[in-house]
Amino acid sequence: MNESLLRELVPAVIGVLVRRGADFASAEDAVQEALIRALDTWPGDPPRDPRAWLVAAAWRRFLDAARAEASRRGRELTVEAEPPAGPAPAADDTLRLYFLCAHPALPQSSAVALTLRAVGGLTTRQIAAAHLVPEATMAQRISRAKRRIAGLPLDRPGDLGTVLRVLYLVFNEGYGGDVDLAAEAIRLVRQLVTLTGEPEVAGLLALMLLHHARRASRTGPGGRLVPLAEQDRSRWDTRLIAEGVAILQAALARDRLGEYQAQAAIAALHADARSACETDWVQIVEWYDELLLLTGSPVVRLNRAVAVGEADGPHAGLAALTGVDPGLPRYAAVRAYLLERAGDLTQAAELYAEAARAATSVPERDHLTREAARVRQLLRRPDRGLR
C-alpha cells in the first residue's frame, strides 16, 4: 500500500463529499471508513482510479450513515441526490479544508490535530503518538474540534495567517511515535505552495527546509542538545539548504515581505556560514529589524539582542535587552550568555541555573544545567578564563 498516496487523496475526497452536501464531521468519518476498506481490498485488487474509488466508497458510507439516522423521507431525498457514477470531478478542495481546519473558533492544539487528521491523512493513533498523549485523549480532542466547526460554512474559514501558524506548530512538534511531524509539515506546506502561490507560504516552506537541514546535528548522544555554534556543519543537508535558499530568493523577488520570509532569510544566513565565526551577524541584525517591524514580537526583540551581542559585542547585546520582558521564556538564558561574554561570570552562572529551572524540556534543562556548571568551574580557575 502506498500510504503517501492515501494521505494525499484524503483531503480531496473529503472535499468532494462536503461539496456534495455532507457536513465536515460526517465526511471525515466516511473517508476514514473508506480507507479501512481500501487497506483490506487494494493489495489484492488495486483500483484503476484510487481517488474515484475512495470517493465512491466514502459517499456510500456517508449515505448508509445518513439513512440510519434520518427519517424515511430524509433517506429518500438523500438517495435521490446521489450523483451519477463516474470519474470524480477534478476540482481540488484541499485548500478549503486547510482553512476550515485552521478556523479561528478552534484552539491551536485542536487545529493542529484536525489538520493532521483531515488534510494529512494520519490516524488518531499516529497523531496521539506524535503528541505523546493517549489515543483516547486525542480522539476526544478531534471530536470536540469537529463538533465545534459543525455547520460552519466553507466560505467563512480562517485566514491564511492562521493556516500558516497551524502548519508551523505542526513542524515545531518535531518527531514522536511513528510519524515525523516535521517532515509531514513540510509535505503539507509544499501542497499549500502549489495551491496558493503566495510568497509568504513559500517563505514558510523555505524556513522549514533550512531548519530541517540542520536536524541531524542538533542533538548528540542520548539526546543531548547541541547549540548552533557547536554543531557539526558537515552533517547539514546541503540539498535541503540549496532548495530552501532558492525558494526564498524567488519569494523575496516578489517584494511582498512577510515574517516567515524574514525568518527564512535569517536561517539562510546561518546556513551560508562555513563556521560559526564566519556568520554575517550584521546582516542578521538587519533582518531582525525587519522582522521586528513586521511583528513587534517580544520574542523577536529577545533574539535580536543575541544577534546584536554577536555583531557589536556583549555590552551592546545587554543594552538591546533593555525593555524586553524578563518573564519571557529564554530571557534568563540569553542574559546569562551575554553576561558571560561580558565577563560577569558570577551572575551568568546564577542566571543559567535559573533558566534551567524554568526550562520546558528535558534536553534544554540539561543543557542549561551543564552551562551553569561550566561557568562555575571557570570561576574556580585561577586565570578565570573565558571560553
Side-chain angles (χ1 to χ4, degrees):
M1 292 292 296
N2 187 336
E3 292 189 13
S4 177
L5 173 62
L6 285 178
R7 290 181 190 174
E8 292 177 2
L9 290 175
V10 165
V13 177
I14 293 176
V16 170
L17 266 64
V18 169
R19 183 151 33 82
R20 288 180 176 181
D23 63 275
F24 179 84
S26 298
E28 202 270 342
D29 289 341
V31 172
Q32 294 298 324
E33 293 287 342
L35 288 173
I36 293 172
R37 186 178 171 197
L39 291 171
D40 289 336
T41 61
W42 284 15
D45 184 21
R48 286 180 295 178
D49 186 343
R51 184 170 180 269
W53 191 100
L54 283 173
V55 168
W59 182 250
R60 284 195 295 270
R61 179 66 186 85
F62 166 72
L63 290 179
D64 289 343
R67 293 186 186 105
E69 296 176 5
S71 64
R72 180 180 63 82
R73 180 56 183 162
R75 294 197 301 269
E76 292 174 354
L77 292 174
T78 303
V79 172
E80 292 171 4
E82 182 173 354
D92 191 343
D93 296 283
T94 304
L95 182 59
R96 286 152 62 106
L97 288 179
Y98 270 109
F99 283 94
L100 186 62
C101 291
H103 198 281
L106 293 176
Q108 287 187 336
S109 60
S110 298
V112 168
L114 196 59
T115 299
L116 288 171
R117 175 71 181 264
V119 186
L122 304 186
T123 65
T124 303
R125 181 189 61 79
Q126 289 174 318
I127 300 170
H131 287 82
L132 304 178
V133 299
E135 183 174 352
T137 300
M138 184 55 67
Q140 291 174 354
R141 184 180 300 175
I142 293 173
S143 295
R144 285 195 298 268
K146 290 193 289 187
R147 287 196 300 270
R148 196 157 187 171
I149 62 174
L152 293 176
L154 277 174
D155 59 348
R156 299 186 64 188
D159 60 22
L160 183 60
T162 303
V163 175
L164 296 183
R165 281 194 296 276
V166 167
L167 290 173
Y168 196 39
L169 285 170
V170 173
F171 179 81
N172 286 332
E173 291 290 344
Y175 176 82
D178 58 355
V179 177
D180 185 339
L181 289 186
E184 183 65 16
I186 290 172
R187 183 181 74 85
L188 295 177
V189 177
R190 286 190 190 278
Q191 287 185 358
L192 198 58
V193 167
T194 302
L195 291 168
T196 65
E198 288 291 326
E200 187 65 340
V201 182
L204 178 57
L205 177 57
L207 176 62
M208 288 182 174
L209 293 173
L210 289 164
H211 280 317
H212 204 52
R214 302 200 304 263
R215 176 172 174 168
S217 64
R218 283 200 179 115
T219 54
R224 178 172 177 154
L225 187 67
V226 181
L228 177 60
E230 299 172 19
Q231 290 176 12
D232 179 359
R233 300 187 178 217
S234 68
R235 301 183 65 194
W236 290 1
D237 189 327
T238 55
R239 180 187 59 81
L240 287 182
I241 291 173
E243 183 184 4
V245 169
I247 292 171
L248 173 62
Q249 289 174 337
L252 291 175
R254 299 176 64 179
D255 199 24
R256 288 165 54 194
L257 183 64
E259 61 178 293
Y260 294 114
Q261 295 171 70
Q263 289 186 55
I266 293 169
L269 287 167
H270 283 298
D272 186 56
R274 290 177 295 179
S275 64
C277 63
E278 296 180 63
T279 305
D280 188 347
W281 287 106
V282 172
Q283 193 172 170
I284 287 176
V285 171
E286 293 174 355
W287 276 111
Y288 270 121
D289 290 339
E290 294 283 355
L291 190 54
L292 198 55
L293 287 173
L294 288 166
T295 67
S297 166
V299 175
V300 171
R301 195 178 298 277
L302 178 66
N303 292 332
R304 178 184 178 277
V306 177
V308 170
E310 298 290 351
D312 301 324
H315 294 288
L318 289 166
L321 276 179
T322 304
V324 177
D325 181 5
L328 281 176
R330 294 186 62 249
Y331 177 90
V334 167
R335 187 167 178 81
Y337 173 75
L338 293 170
L339 284 170
E340 181 192 349
R341 292 192 59 221
D344 189 344
L345 301 186
T346 301
Q347 192 175 357
E350 293 174 357
L351 284 172
Y352 275 132
E354 177 186 328
R357 290 190 294 271
T360 56
S361 71
V362 173
E364 183 182 7
R365 181 201 65 195
D366 292 347
H367 169 70
L368 292 168
T369 300
R370 287 192 297 269
E371 291 295 278
R374 177 185 58 76
V375 175
R376 290 192 185 104
Q377 184 64 33
L378 288 174
L379 279 167
R380 290 192 288 268
R381 285 173 50 180
D383 58 355
R384 293 168 68 96
L386 301 180
R387 62 173 177 173

